[in-house]
Structures are given as structure tokens and as C-alpha cells.
Amino acid sequence: MQPFDLELNQVNYAVFPEGNETYTIYKEGKEYIQIQKDEGEQWIKFDEETGTPVFEYDEEVNQLGKLIEYYKENPEEDEDEL
């Protein structure tokens, strides 16, 4: 899967799939967080210093995860408009 862009609350994010349902997210052009889909519908982020999962609920992470799932099911077909 190739990297792709998402928009959430008028903020641009670049999503880089890392494999195993893990994604590195760039926010406004800077590396922001790494997230992974949990067993259920939850998404978890990784601590940027230790790389360990942070299991507390994060609304932004879950919203990004939902957008990633939507994108995977409905890949953009308008890339030729760039």
C-alpha cells in the first residue's frame, strides 16, 4: 500500500503504511505519531520516545484510524488530478 493523504478537522495528514496494521502519521508535514489497529475497533498510538503502545483512549487517533479504514475500502481514484 502506498502512502496517502487524509484531512481531519481541516488539518492535513500524510499516512505511511508500515505493515501489520501500523501507520506512521505526519501532521502538517512533520512526523507526528505512529498508530496501530487494536484487536477491536480501537486504535492505539505508540510512545514516541520508547516505541511502546499507549493504551489510553485518544479521540484523534481513533478518528484517524476510521479514516484509514475508509480509505482502504475506498481508495481515491482522482490521483491524476494532482
Side-chain angles (χ1 to χ4, degrees), residues 16-80:
F16 286 76
E18 303 292 338
N20 204 25
E21 292 293 325
T22 302
Y23 302 86
T24 299
I25 310 294
Y26 289 77
K27 183 177 182 178
E28 298 295 329
K30 296 185 177 157
E31 188 169 341
Y32 180 52
I33 55 175
Q34 189 173 41
I35 66 174
Q36 182 178 46
K37 186 166 185 176
D38 200 356
E39 293 294 319
E41 294 296 313
Q42 291 286 83
W43 285 77
I44 54 174
K45 66 180 177 180
F46 291 89
D47 183 280
E48 58 187 72
E49 292 181 14
T50 65
T52 57
V54 177
F55 290 101
E56 62 189 44
Y57 180 79
D58 186 309
E59 182 64 29
E60 180 184 31
V61 168
N62 275 306
Q63 287 180 338
L64 286 169
K66 287 178 184 177
L67 289 172
I68 290 169
E69 287 291 313
Y70 179 81
Y71 179 86
K72 286 171 50 180
E73 293 171 5
N74 306 288
E76 292 182 340
E77 297 176 10
D78 60 353
E79 291 184 12
D80 59 339

